[in-house]
Amino acid sequence: KYVPFFCASVSLFTVTLARMVNVYWVIFFQDALAFSPLYAGALTMVATLPMVLFTPYVGQLTDKYKPRWIVLIGQMVMILSFIWLAFFMSGGNVVLMAIAILTSGAGIMLIMIPSYSSGLSSISSAKRGIGGGILNTFSNTGASFGTAILGAIFTGTQFGYFSFALAKNPDTQNLEPSTFEGLFSGVATAIDAVKALSSSLQTEIETILRSSYNYGITSANLLAAFVIVVALIITFLYFKPKRVRKEEKEEIFMEPF
């Protein structure tokens, strides 16, 4: 009876978990690509444009077509955008990154609106206040898990790659990797440690460190894509809500949660 509601909850949990990778996009833009904070923030905010401009139209699509297919399309769009970023973000091409970020925002919108409306319409009107609270809880919990998990993957793989690359190189194998943490962020101790080295080693350290950031953000983007793949499978197999009628939709969103 409550399978559509459960699937809507999973959909909201996974989309908010995956979207938190944008926190680490900003770090990557500033540290690895040397973008200013303003430029990095503005580029990331491109993802909000579809939500600002096209939300009413997605609502109309939800009324007209089956919510399941809209959610599936949104999930496929998000998967493609994350894979696109995994392969092209390290190149620093702003146009290619902006297209993928814009696409990911469209995917988020296509997932969240039908998930909320169909999730609430699948339960009785007497329970919609509780249902709305549960859906919001799943969404907020997904954001918390996403920040923690994706952050661990980004920083862990980045530092692991950096440590491995230093140990593998005969010229840098005796250097302590943690000494250079925060170099691109302007940490004084890391900058002093690099200045103590020869110019050739300085260049080598910066190259390896930049490559480690590329590896870290690629891992985070691919994990975000994997999370949405899991959600897509669940949606395809189990998410079969009824189409939300206009009168019912008005009733859902007029009720206070």
Side-chain angles (χ1 to χ4, degrees):
K1 183 179 179 180
Y2 295 110
V3 169
F5 183 83
F6 171 76
C7 291
S9 301
V10 171
S11 178
L12 291 169
F13 176 84
T14 52
V15 71
T16 50
L17 189 157
R19 72 184 293 188
M20 295 313 294
V21 73
N22 60 20
V23 173
Y24 305 102
W25 292 347
V26 175
I27 296 173
F28 176 81
F29 292 153
Q30 292 183 72
D31 288 358
L33 301 182
F35 290 173
S36 69
L38 178 63
Y39 194 12
L43 182 58
T44 306
M45 284 184 64
V46 169
T48 65
L49 292 178
M51 303 176 203
V52 173
L53 299 175
F54 301 112
T55 295
Y57 302 104
V58 175
Q60 292 175 6
L61 288 174
T62 304
D63 292 338
K64 189 174 182 180
Y65 301 104
K66 292 182 178 181
R68 174 177 181 244
W69 294 110
I70 299 173
V71 172
L72 285 170
I73 291 171
Q75 289 168 336
M76 287 187 284
V77 167
M78 282 196 75
I79 292 167
L80 290 174
S81 68
F82 286 139
I83 293 175
W84 180 290
L85 287 168
F87 283 98
F88 293 106
M89 187 174 275
S90 59
N93 188 308
V94 175
V95 175
L96 292 178
M97 289 190 293
I99 292 172
I101 292 170
L102 182 71
T103 305
S104 72
I108 292 169
M109 177 183 58
L110 290 170
I111 295 169
M112 295 193 75
I113 295 174
S115 294
Y116 266 113
S117 61
S118 60
L120 291 177
S121 67
S122 66
I123 58 179
S124 65
S125 58
K127 296 180 179 179
R128 282 176 185 159
I130 298 173
I134 293 173
L135 292 177
N136 283 327
T137 299
F138 269 87
S139 182
N140 292 330
T141 303
S144 299
F145 272 75
T147 303
I149 295 171
L150 294 169
I153 293 298
F154 173 67
T155 56
T157 55
Q158 179 269 319
F159 187 74
Y161 180 96
F162 183 62
S163 301
F164 176 78
L166 287 183
K168 188 177 179 181
N169 190 325
D171 296 330
T172 59
Q173 62 184 356
N174 295 323
L175 298 176
E176 174 58 42
S178 60
T179 307
F180 306 101
E181 284 190 80
L183 176 63
F184 291 155
S185 301
V187 175
T189 53
I191 293 173
D192 292 340
V194 169
K195 286 182 178 179
L197 303 174
S198 65
S199 58
S200 60
L201 275 181
Q202 289 180 25
T203 302
E204 199 159 357
I205 292 293
E206 291 178 1
T207 301
I208 294 173
L209 187 58
R210 188 164 283 106
S211 297
S212 73
Y213 271 89
N214 293 339
Y215 189 80
I217 200 63
T218 297
S219 301
N221 281 323
L222 290 177
L223 177 59
F226 175 76
V227 168
I228 302 299
V229 167
V230 173
L232 183 146
I233 294 171
I234 294 172
T235 301
F236 182 78
L237 294 177
Y238 302 110
F239 191 39
K240 299 175 182 179
K242 62 182 180 179
R243 186 178 300 171
V244 183
R245 292 179 286 107
K246 183 177 180 180
E247 298 80 5
E248 189 175 14
K249 185 178 179 182
E250 290 176 353
E251 180 186 349
I252 290 170
F253 290 103
M254 286 297 289
E255 291 179 356
F257 292 165

